[in-house]
Structure formats: C-alpha cells, structure tokens
C-alpha cells in the first residue's frame, strides 16, 4: 500500500489494541473504527462522554517528549506513532476510541499498527485524496535545531541526528510516495538513555517505560539489543516526524529536511505552515511519483526481529 493511491481509504473493519501509555503508565484500550470519506482522523475519549478531538494542528497541546492534542482542556497524549502508521500506510479516515488519556506505547514502534492494517485490509473510498502541496519553503530554526519544508514531488524526508554515544551521527532519507514506510520506518522503536531515567521518572514522563517498549541506552552500549536496524534511532525520528506532520491534516507533497529536531520543532513547522497560506495549496494526487533514490543513510538495515 503506497501513497500513490489517489483516493481516500479507511480500514475494512475495527481493530483493537490495549497496553499502557509510555508517559502516564495508564492502562488503555483503544479501538480503531472505519470512518466516512472526508472525516479525517478523530480521537474519541469514551471515558469522557465520547468527547472528540480531531488530529489537526489547531489542537496541538504541550509538546516535550511526545505530541499531545487538546481541546477544551481534554487531552489525548502521545499520538505520533499511531498517526505515523496511518499516514505511512495510507489510512485517511478513522475514529480512534480510547478509554484513557494516552495512546498505548505497544512495542515503541508503529509496526503493530501496520501489521493490524495489513491483516484487516483497507477500503478505498469515493473521495479523491487531497494533498498539501508545498509551494515555497517554510523553515524553523532554533540554535542547532532545524526543520524546513520545500516544494517537490512525492513526500521526501531527510533527517539528521547527532546524539551522544553510542548513537552519534546518523542520516536517513526516505520517500513515502514509493511505499517504503512499512519496511524501512515502521519497525523503528523509540529510545532513551538510562542516565536520564531517574529525572524523567521524577517528571512523570516515563511511568509506562519498560525494555519491551523502548531501546534503552547507556553511554557504552544498547542495553536491550539487538537493534532492528543499525540506524534504528534516526529511522524512529523519521517515524515521529511523519506522525507529527500528520497534524497538517493532509499528506504533504514536498520535501522535508530535519536536523536535530524533535516534537516541538516538528509541530512548530506545522503551525507555521498552517499560518502561511501562500506556502501551500490543496492538490489532488502527486504530479509525478518520484523515482526511488538510493538511501543516503550510512548503514544498511538489519533483519527485522
Ligand atoms: Zn516516537
């Protein structure tokens, strides 16, 4: 299922997940329900009278270690991995029912979502998919952190990270229009440094963390290997970026470049883009599907476990 499909899609049948929220540690049951064309991705808090929060930029709330949506002070937290899977796999319309405030972390990647989409299948809808076609550059810079979006065919992302060892420098490039999301991005898990654990726990940010839902790093090594890719870290940043840019409300047609960015930078770009109405237009379909280019990431994928 690649993004060149020019019509909207929803899932063929309902899908259920359960787990805990990474940040809250709260148990949560989640149900994805097929939705009509044109409805987009909408979260529904069934524990709060079915209060609905659409996955769009105007509902972005505080953004530190995860992306959260808020409307009338009702929160839905850590939306990025699910949104990434929906965009990456090509699901336009779905209702996401949750009975708590945070999306379950599952294995820390978006692979469980993609596998569930593969097992139920997608249903093509009658409405043509609209893309957010980038007409001119929009950039956000903050010190050494940078993110920008530029005109271009397809949906190309280039991400560079530079973390302390053992991660170091990694760069990865992918074009979602060629359908590489499922194999190259979805399996990449979130990660954290052991030395930050106490601080993050004190801040209440990783109450649900365990070695089953994140790569744990010390300064010397990966503590709970093996990695799914040698460059799994930068691939996970790409996964997050796709999920955060989903908040533009439509798939992007253009090129995104990110360096040492994170959720705050990703969502700042969405908000700047939404404000600058001359930077984009709504367009049907890609003008052309970009030729797959050789991956610029330095390392080859390892076997997916
Ligand atoms: Zn993430």
């Amino acid at each position: 299922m690649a993004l060149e499909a020019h019509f909207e899609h929803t899932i063929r049948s309902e899908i259920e997940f359960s787990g805990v929220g990474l940040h809250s540690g709260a148990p949560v049951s989640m149900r994805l329900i097929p939705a009509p064309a044109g409805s987009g991705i909408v979260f529904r808090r069934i524990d709060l009278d079915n209060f609905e929060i659409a996955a769009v930029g105007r509902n972005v709330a505080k953004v530190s270690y995860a992306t959260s949506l808020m409307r009338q002070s009702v929160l839905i937290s850590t939306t990025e991995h699910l949104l990434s899977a929906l965009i990456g796999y090509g699901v336009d319309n779905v209702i996401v029912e949750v009975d708590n405030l945070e999306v379950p972390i599952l294995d820390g990647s978006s692979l469980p979502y993609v596998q569930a989409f593969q097992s139920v299948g997608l249903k093509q809808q009658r409405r043509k998919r609209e893309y957010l076609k980038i007409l001119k550059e929009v950039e956000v810079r903050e010190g050494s952190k940078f993110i920008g979006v530029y005109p271009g065919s397809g949906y190309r992302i280039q991400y560079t990270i530079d973390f302390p060892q053992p991660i170091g420098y990694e760069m990865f490039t992918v074009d979602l229009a060629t359908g590489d999301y499922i194999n190259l991005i979805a399996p990449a898990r979130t990660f954290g440094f052991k030395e930050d654990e106490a601080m993050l726990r004190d801040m209440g940010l990783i109450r649900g963390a365990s070695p089953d839902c994140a790569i744990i790093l010390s300064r010397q090594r990966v503590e709970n290997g093996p990695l799914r890719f040698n460059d799994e870290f930068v691939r996970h940043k790409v996964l997050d970026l796709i999920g955060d840019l989903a908040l533009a409300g439509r798939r992007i047609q253009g090129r995104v470049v990110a360096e040492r960015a994170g959720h705050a930078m990703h969502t700042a770009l969405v908000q700047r883009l939404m404000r600058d109405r001359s930077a984009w237009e709504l367009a049907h379909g890609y003008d052309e599907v970009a030729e797959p280019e050789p991956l610029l990431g330095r390392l080859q994928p390892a076997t997916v476990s």
Side-chain angles (χ1 to χ4, degrees), residues 80-81 190 236 240:
E80 60 268 19
H81 298 171
T190 190
H236 186 77
D240 280 342

Side-chain angles (χ1 to χ4, degrees), residues 165-166 217-223:
Q165 288 304 323
L217 298 155
S218 65
R219 284 286 181 228
Q220 292 75 37
R221 61 177 171 269
V222 174
E223 295 288 319

Side-chain angles (χ1 to χ4, degrees), residues 24-243:
S24 61
V28 55
S29 293
M30 182 167 80
R31 191 157 64 120
L32 273 50
I33 304 171
S39 52
I41 300 160
V42 178
F43 289 90
R44 183 184 281 166
R45 287 282 301 269
I46 61 167
D47 57 327
L48 293 174
D49 291 332
N50 292 333
F51 191 87
E52 291 191 342
I53 308 172
V56 292
R58 67 171 179 277
N59 290 334
V60 171
K62 72 173 167 87
V63 182
S64 51
Y65 287 88
T67 299
S68 300
L69 300 172
M70 189 160 72
R71 186 166 78 82
Q72 295 173 17
S73 71
V74 173
L75 197 68
I76 175 75
S77 192
T78 319
T79 54
E80 60 268 19
H81 298 171
L82 172 60
L83 293 181
S84 182
L86 291 167
I87 291 285
Y89 199 77
V91 183
D92 301 275
N93 304 301
V94 71
I95 292 162
V96 183
E97 286 190 349
V98 285
D99 65 355
N100 214 324
L101 82 172
E102 190 175 0
V103 173
I105 187 67
L106 306 178
D107 74 345
S109 78
S110 63
L111 189 59
Y113 297 124
V114 162
Q115 287 169 337
F117 301 152
Q118 284 172 326
S119 73
V120 300
L122 298 193
K123 183 176 152 211
Q124 183 171 306
Q125 298 174 295
R126 295 174 70 90
R127 186 182 160 112
K128 276 196 166 179
R129 181 179 281 164
E130 277 184 333
Y131 295 81
L132 198 81
K133 181 179 178 178
I134 304 300
L135 300 176
K136 68 172 195 193
E137 65 190 45
V138 177
E139 299 175 330
V140 181
R141 189 182 294 278
E142 195 189 304
S144 66
K145 300 174 185 175
F146 173 80
I147 186 165
V149 65
Y150 308 90
S153 59
Y155 183 178
R156 255 174 76 97
I157 294 174
Q158 177 179 302
Y159 214 119
T160 311
I161 58 172
D162 194 2
F163 277 97
Q165 288 304 323
I167 299 179
Y169 173 91
E170 290 179 349
M171 181 166 75
F172 197 78
T173 304
V174 67
D175 192 334
L176 293 193
T178 59
D180 289 341
Y181 181 86
I182 296 166
N183 295 313
L184 301 183
I185 305 299
R189 292 161 298 166
T190 190
F191 54 92
F193 282 93
K194 235 166 85 175
E195 66 179 33
D196 298 332
E197 189 180 338
M199 175 194 72
L200 294 173
R201 272 195 203 282
D202 287 350
M203 292 166 74
L205 286 169
I206 53 165
R207 290 194 180 112
S210 83
D212 297 329
C213 67
I215 304 166
I216 316 273
L217 298 155
S218 65
R219 284 286 181 228
Q220 292 75 37
R221 61 177 171 269
V222 174
E223 295 288 319
N224 58 341
L227 295 177
R228 293 175 174 182
F229 305 97
N230 292 332
D231 56 352
E232 189 168 354
F233 310 102
V234 70
R235 291 178 194 238
H236 186 77
K237 298 295 285 191
V238 173
L239 187 160
D240 280 342
L241 175 61
I242 293 164

